[in-house]
Amino acid sequence: TITAYSPSKSKKVKFYPLTLSQQKQIIETAGDPTLSILAFNKLFYNILKENIIDDDINQYNTVDRVVFTLALRAHLSDEVELVDESKISLLTLINRNVDIKPDLNNITITANEFVFECAAPTLDIDNKINDMILKKHKKINDDTLSLLISDLYVYEILKFIKTLSVGERTINFEDNYVQALELLNNIDSKLLIDIADFINKVRDAESEFAKIPDSDSNIDIVPNFFIL
C-alpha cells in the first residue's frame, strides 16, 4: 500500500498502487490542453475513489489531490525528468510537504447584500463541476474555444461557493448547480473579486505542494506526468 499525508485533515491516508490499466487510462486523457486537464482530473478522481483504503475520498479537497498524485506517481518511479533534462526525487517533495501547513479554512465574504460561504472544493464537488463542463463542451474548435474559456472562469467560481445568503434566504449551491450557475451569472462581477482572491489563495497552496526545490517552477501534474 501507499501512504500519503493529507494537508487538509493532517493525517495519513492509504491507497492501493495504480494498476497498469489505470496508468494507461491516465496517459490516454492527454489531448487538447484545454480539456485534457479536466478529463485527467475526472479520471483521477475515480481512481482515487477506487484505490483509497477504508476511507472516503470525498472528504478531501483539491490541495490534497496534489499530494495524493505525487505519492501514487512516486510508487511507479521516484525519479522525474524535468524540462531542462535534470532529474529530481519525488520523495524529496513528499517529505518536505508534510511540514507545509496551508490555511484552508472556510471563509465568509460579504459583498453588498450578498453573503458567500466559500471553501476549497472537495474532490466530489470538483468532479461534479468538471463533469458539467465536459458534457457541455464535448468538441472544441476555433468557434467554441472562447465560450469554453469564459465558462471555465465561471465554473471555477462555482466550485468555491458553498452557500449564498441574501437577507433571510440561504441557497445551498450543492443542491442544484444548474440553478446556482444561473444565479451566479446574474451577479455583478465586481462583487466576486474577494472570491477570486480566495480561489487564488487555494490554487497557490496547490502549487506550493508541487514546487520543485530550489526553483520557482512546479511539477506539472498532467497526464504526461505518468509516462515513465
Side-chain angles (χ1 to χ4, degrees), residues 11 30 64-65 80 101 119 137 139 187 199 209 215:
K11 70 173 188 177
D64 295 312
R65 179 173 59 202
V80 172
K101 310 294 181 185
H137 298 277
K139 293 183 179 179
I187 294 176
I199 292 172
F209 284 95
S215 167

Side-chain angles (χ1 to χ4, degrees), residues 201-220:
K201 178 181 177 181
V202 174
R203 296 308 187 201
D204 286 346
E206 294 173 9
S207 296
E208 188 175 7
F209 284 95
K211 189 174 184 297
I212 299 167
D214 303 317
S215 167
D216 293 328
S217 302
N218 296 337
I219 289 179
D220 290 326

Side-chain angles (χ1 to χ4, degrees), residues 9-24:
K9 301 297 181 183
S10 300
K11 70 173 188 177
K12 295 179 180 179
V13 186
K14 291 185 177 181
F15 294 90
Y16 294 112
L18 292 174
T19 65
L20 180 59
S21 175
Q22 288 173 334
Q23 183 185 1
K24 179 174 178 288

Side-chain angles (χ1 to χ4, degrees), residues 125 128 158 161-163 170-181:
I125 289 172
K128 285 178 180 176
L158 189 65
I161 301 174
K162 291 177 67 66
T163 65
T170 297
I171 302 160
N172 188 333
F173 273 33
E174 293 179 52
D175 290 343
N176 189 331
Y177 277 120
V178 175
Q179 185 181 49
L181 185 63

Side-chain angles (χ1 to χ4, degrees), residues 14-104:
K14 291 185 177 181
F15 294 90
Y16 294 112
L18 292 174
T19 65
L20 180 59
S21 175
Q22 288 173 334
Q23 183 185 1
K24 179 174 178 288
Q25 290 173 48
I26 290 171
I27 295 169
E28 287 173 351
T29 61
D32 183 287
T34 313
L35 285 179
S36 65
I37 189 62
L38 297 177
F40 167 73
N41 285 340
K42 180 174 174 57
L43 173 65
F44 209 77
Y45 166 78
N46 290 324
I47 290 173
L48 290 174
K49 189 175 181 180
E50 182 178 343
N51 289 27
I52 197 168
I53 300 173
D54 298 327
D55 207 338
D56 179 9
I57 196 63
N58 292 331
Q59 68 173 304
Y60 300 101
N61 63 32
T62 56
V63 179
D64 295 312
R65 179 173 59 202
V66 176
V67 177
F68 298 161
T69 306
L70 293 174
L72 289 170
R73 171 60 173 78
H75 180 78
L76 298 175
S77 174
D78 175 48
E79 192 174 78
V80 172
E81 184 172 314
L82 305 177
V83 176
D84 63 1
E85 297 186 354
S86 63
K87 296 178 180 179
I88 64 166
S89 162
L90 289 176
L91 286 177
T92 302
L93 272 70
I94 291 169
N95 292 333
R96 175 206 64 192
N97 286 349
V98 174
D99 296 323
I100 299 175
K101 310 294 181 185
D103 178 9
L104 300 174

